[in-house]
Amino acid sequence: MKILNLGLLFVLITLFSCSTPKSENKKPNIIYIMSDDHCAQAIGAYKMRLAELNPTPTIDRIAKEGILFENVFCTNSICTPSRAAILTGQYSQTNGVMDLSGKIGKAQQHLPTEMKKLGYQTAMFGKWHLKEAPEAFDYYNVLPGQGDYHNPTLYTREGDSLTLFKFEEGIEREVYATTYQGHSSDVITDISLDWFKNKRDKSKPFFVMHHFKAPHDFFEYADRYNEYLENVDIPEPASLWDNKNNGSVATKGINDCWMDTIGSSIGHRNVIRNMGMHMEIDPNIPDPEYKRLAYQEYLKRYLRCVKGVDDNVKRLFDYLEAEELMDNTIIIYTGDQGFMLGEHDYIDKRWMYEESMRMPFLVRYPKLIKAGSQSDAIINNTDFAPTIIDLAGGSTPDYMQGNSFKSILETGQEPEEWQQATYYRYWMHMAHKHNNPAHFGIRTKKHKLIFFYGRDFKQRNTAAQKWAHNPASMSDFETIPAWEFYDLENDPHEMNNLYGDAKYDAIIKDLKVQLKDLRTSINEEDTKYPEIQKIIDEYWE
């Protein structure tokens, strides 16, 4: 009898000792939520000019219960290249995606591939925008290209009707196409929740990428938000009306002769593309009234889309809490880049200016992250994949160029050896009637140096270039090269280009050395583009 009792006791102790560590060492789930063109200005937790409108109470919760990063930047503020950098952990020349025509095939879909090696079930929902199908994921259900805001069709490996879909020109995949009723933000969340409830393997941790289409232009919101902010006067940035000394001859032309062409505007300034056109404001109304009406309509539509995103993030949170998954799930929220909401009288993104290149980035995981933390460490989107892999128990693959910032999540402190600058490059040139000149540059915590070299990287018929209003494309045209320098400590809104000010000569010289070294170290030089290199050599000093 005593032997039996001792044996039973041994079994119970063994079971208890084995089960407890297993529970404690369970890998965290990870959900990466990304919206398209959602900028920090439109998130309450960042306490910028739109915070008083409180469009994002759910997203703000991530900051309250986790960490908010102040200095996260994209390496190229345009959809496809940014998404490629996030998925590969690599800069544009290395992953091969410099502009919107780039593609990422299965072999380059590194993040889900590495996560599967670590035992994760992977899924991708919503906006993909990388041409080829997301075949490296265990499950996907994605929009083709930009997709539709209302009643969208999505493509997956299972569904209602089999079709041949061109994810990339000349490459067809057999996929199932299903058209859903409703707004895309709701539909994408419905699909994610269905996977969580009915399709995921509950014996494995999950890695989910949940990508909203909203608030990408042209800001089509769900009908239930028709009255949201209707009678509110949206705060305007001061630079909408007075851009002071922002810019250079590269962005304004000699004697401001290109002001009506470069950089799509809110009001009548840009005659080729302005937000009043998109908002259907009567073009006969003169500025400043035209500009004011366009701005108000633009911001209301944009923020209604943002509100729809926030409400759907709450639906995801509600599910995680109901299933008791919330505290064992690392929740990341970001946008694929920033966005200009009238700052400097610009719309869209593409620029290296703060509002365009800054990405919101918030993380909640109470087992690791102290609630209410903030960090001003410089991070860019090539760092996302290494960090997610590190959080999942892996290590950064040699082929990735980014760095894991897991230790910052754990401690809230920036390591002594952490990067002190980030690189940016907008490869496209004078594209899509937004007409942003091609440029690259370096940003530190205190300063920003930009070089507008003004030429497309693709071979163009520049000999036959012709400056004309409202052309189909101006990518053939070479713009004037010029440098811009901003003292971000004293001029955080970049209102005073100080390039050429003798007081900053030493700082600018040092930044050029850093920029040159950085371009070499991350494979971002122009040896493949001799015409661009010629301009760099001519204007470097």
Side-chain angles (χ1 to χ4, degrees):
M1 190 69 177
K2 288 182 180 180
I3 294 174
L4 180 61
N5 287 341
L6 287 172
L8 180 60
L9 180 63
F10 175 79
V11 170
L12 290 172
I13 291 171
T14 301
L15 286 172
F16 180 78
S17 63
C18 290
S19 62
T20 303
K22 184 177 179 181
S23 175
E24 290 175 351
N25 294 328
K26 184 179 179 182
K27 286 191 173 185
N29 301 304
I30 303 173
I31 180 167
Y32 174 95
I33 307 170
M34 186 164 75
S35 297
D36 194 309
D37 294 342
H38 192 186
C39 56
Q41 306 96 282
I43 292 178
Y46 279 88
K47 298 179 180 178
M48 297 183 182
R49 77 172 188 278
L50 302 174
E52 64 188 70
L53 304 177
N54 195 29
T56 55
T58 307
I59 296 167
D60 292 354
R61 178 184 168 187
I62 304 175
K64 183 179 179 181
E65 299 176 3
I67 187 168
L68 178 148
F69 286 89
E70 300 169 12
N71 285 329
V72 176
F73 304 102
C74 60
T75 52
N76 184 351
S77 185
I78 193 76
C79 295
T80 304
S82 179
R83 292 164 189 269
I86 291 165
L87 207 68
T88 64
Q90 299 169 336
Y91 290 84
S92 293
Q93 280 207 77
T94 300
N95 65 41
V97 180
M98 278 85 87
D99 62 9
L100 293 178
S101 67
K103 62 181 180 180
I104 293 291
K106 182 178 180 180
Q108 282 186 281
Q109 294 167 18
H110 298 315
L111 180 53
T113 299
E114 295 295 335
M115 294 299 285
K116 286 199 288 188
K117 290 179 185 176
L118 296 169
Y120 279 75
Q121 186 181 21
T122 62
M124 166 71 217
F125 303 104
K127 184 171 179 180
W128 173 242
H129 210 218
L130 287 168
K131 307 299 188 293
E132 291 201 36
E135 292 291 345
F137 289 84
D138 293 312
Y139 183 89
Y140 68 82
N141 203 339
V142 296
L143 295 166
Q146 293 289 358
D148 295 320
Y149 260 118
H150 295 282
N151 304 330
T153 298
L154 286 90
Y155 295 87
T156 184
R157 295 189 185 98
E158 59 186 52
D160 297 335
S161 59
L162 188 65
T163 185
L164 285 175
F165 176 70
K166 287 188 177 181
F167 276 92
E168 167 65 17
E169 190 65 31
I171 300 174
E172 293 184 333
R173 294 281 187 267
E174 279 195 345
V175 294
Y176 285 90
T178 302
T179 299
Y180 299 83
Q181 298 301 302
H183 189 270
S184 67
S185 296
D186 302 332
V187 167
I188 292 164
T189 305
D190 290 343
I191 292 169
S192 284
L193 290 173
D194 177 65
W195 181 86
F196 277 118
K197 295 173 183 177
N198 303 311
K199 296 182 175 67
R200 74 180 177 96
D201 181 350
K202 296 184 180 180
S203 69
K204 293 182 177 182
F206 58 76
F207 170 62
V208 168
M209 300 190 85
H210 177 102
H211 293 182
F212 292 103
K213 170 182 170 62
H216 189 278
D217 65 7
F218 293 97
F219 323 115
E220 298 175 24
Y221 51 87
D223 289 344
R224 63 182 179 274
Y225 300 109
N226 283 338
E227 303 303 317
Y228 179 63
L229 301 175
E230 181 63 23
N231 298 313
V232 174
D233 190 48
I234 310 295
E236 300 166 347
S239 59
L240 175 64
W241 301 103
D242 183 2
N243 203 22
K244 298 189 183 299
N245 190 38
N246 169 270
S248 61
V249 292
T251 62
K252 296 186 287 191
I254 297 170
N255 296 324
D256 294 346
C257 65
W258 291 350
M259 290 285 286
D260 63 354
T261 305
I262 289 181
S264 48
S265 62
I266 298 289
H268 281 304
R269 174 184 59 77
N270 192 309
V271 298
I272 295 175
R273 185 167 186 174
N274 64 64
M275 189 52 73
M277 296 175 180
H278 299 316
M279 298 296 102
E280 300 178 338
I281 306 300
D282 183 352
N284 296 310
I285 299 174
D287 280 340
E289 184 61 18
Y290 178 84
K291 180 190 281 191
R292 184 169 286 111
L293 290 171
Y295 174 83
Q296 291 295 322
E297 186 64 23
Y298 170 30
L299 267 291
K300 286 175 183 180
R301 293 189 193 185
Y302 179 89
L303 293 174
R304 287 166 185 161
C305 285
V306 168
K307 180 64 174 169
V309 166
D310 193 78
D311 288 346
N312 275 289
V313 171
K314 185 177 186 304
R315 293 177 63 204
L316 293 173
F317 284 14
D318 288 347
Y319 170 79
L320 294 173
E321 288 181 321
E323 295 297 312
E324 299 183 349
L325 294 168
M326 190 78 171
D327 287 347
N328 194 48
T329 299
I330 298 169
I331 300 169
I332 299 168
Y333 184 86
T334 186
D336 59 347
Q337 60 251 329
F339 210 63
M340 307 299 292
L341 296 179
E343 298 86 3
H344 309 295
D345 191 27
Y346 289 137
I347 62 176
D348 203 64
K349 51 259 186 180
R350 305 166 192 258
W351 297 105
M352 195 182 166
Y353 300 133
E354 287 294 281
E355 296 84 4
S356 172
M357 74 178 291
R358 172 177 280 115
M359 306 170 76
F361 200 87
L362 310 101
V363 190
R364 181 192 186 275
Y365 185 48
K367 293 183 180 180
L368 187 74
I369 300 168
K370 182 181 177 181
S373 301
Q374 291 194 13
S375 172
D376 68 348
I378 289 181
I379 291 162
N380 71 46
N381 52 353
T382 67
D383 300 322
F384 294 2
T387 303
I388 291 169
I389 291 167
D390 198 359
L391 288 166
S395 56
T396 304
D398 291 339
Y399 59 79
M400 288 190 177
Q401 296 172 294
N403 302 298
S404 170
F405 52 91
K406 179 186 174 186
S407 68
I408 301 176
L409 294 170
E410 293 173 320
T411 66
Q413 302 298 314
E414 180 181 333
E416 288 186 11
E417 69 279 7
W418 188 252
Q419 59 206 16
Q420 296 301 300
T422 189
Y423 179 76
Y424 180 90
R425 183 163 187 177
Y426 176 65
W427 284 83
M428 300 170 76
H429 176 63
M430 300 296 283
H432 306 150
K433 300 186 180 181
H434 288 296
N435 290 347
N436 306 68
H439 57 285
F440 62 73
I442 184 172
R443 190 203 190 278
T444 68
K445 288 184 181 179
K446 295 182 178 181
H447 305 111
K448 181 181 292 183
L449 183 67
I450 311 171
F451 179 52
F452 289 90
Y453 57 90
R455 183 187 173 102
D456 198 86
F457 73 99
K458 294 179 178 177
Q459 289 298 314
R460 301 287 186 181
N461 185 21
T462 54
Q465 61 183 275
K466 186 175 181 180
W467 189 269
H469 287 312
N470 209 28
S473 172
M474 295 189 72
S475 294
D476 285 352
F477 194 89
E478 292 184 51
T479 52
I480 301 172
W483 290 90
E484 295 180 18
F485 168 79
Y486 297 97
D487 178 354
L488 299 176
E489 274 193 313
N490 298 306
D491 179 24
H493 299 296
E494 300 169 311
M495 301 301 292
N496 190 16
N497 174 17
L498 292 168
Y499 190 83
D501 186 324
K503 186 172 71 171
Y504 292 94
D505 282 351
I507 293 172
I508 291 170
K509 184 177 180 180
D510 178 64
L511 285 171
K512 285 186 178 180
V513 171
Q514 290 188 55
L515 178 56
K516 187 174 182 180
D517 290 344
L518 191 54
R519 278 166 53 81
T520 300
S521 68
I522 60 175
N523 185 36
E524 281 291 313
E525 295 178 297
D526 282 272
T527 54
K528 295 179 182 177
Y529 310 102
E531 294 299 326
I532 294 176
Q533 187 60 51
K534 182 179 177 181
I535 297 169
I536 294 170
D537 292 341
E538 182 179 353
Y539 285 87
W540 192 260
E541 297 303 331

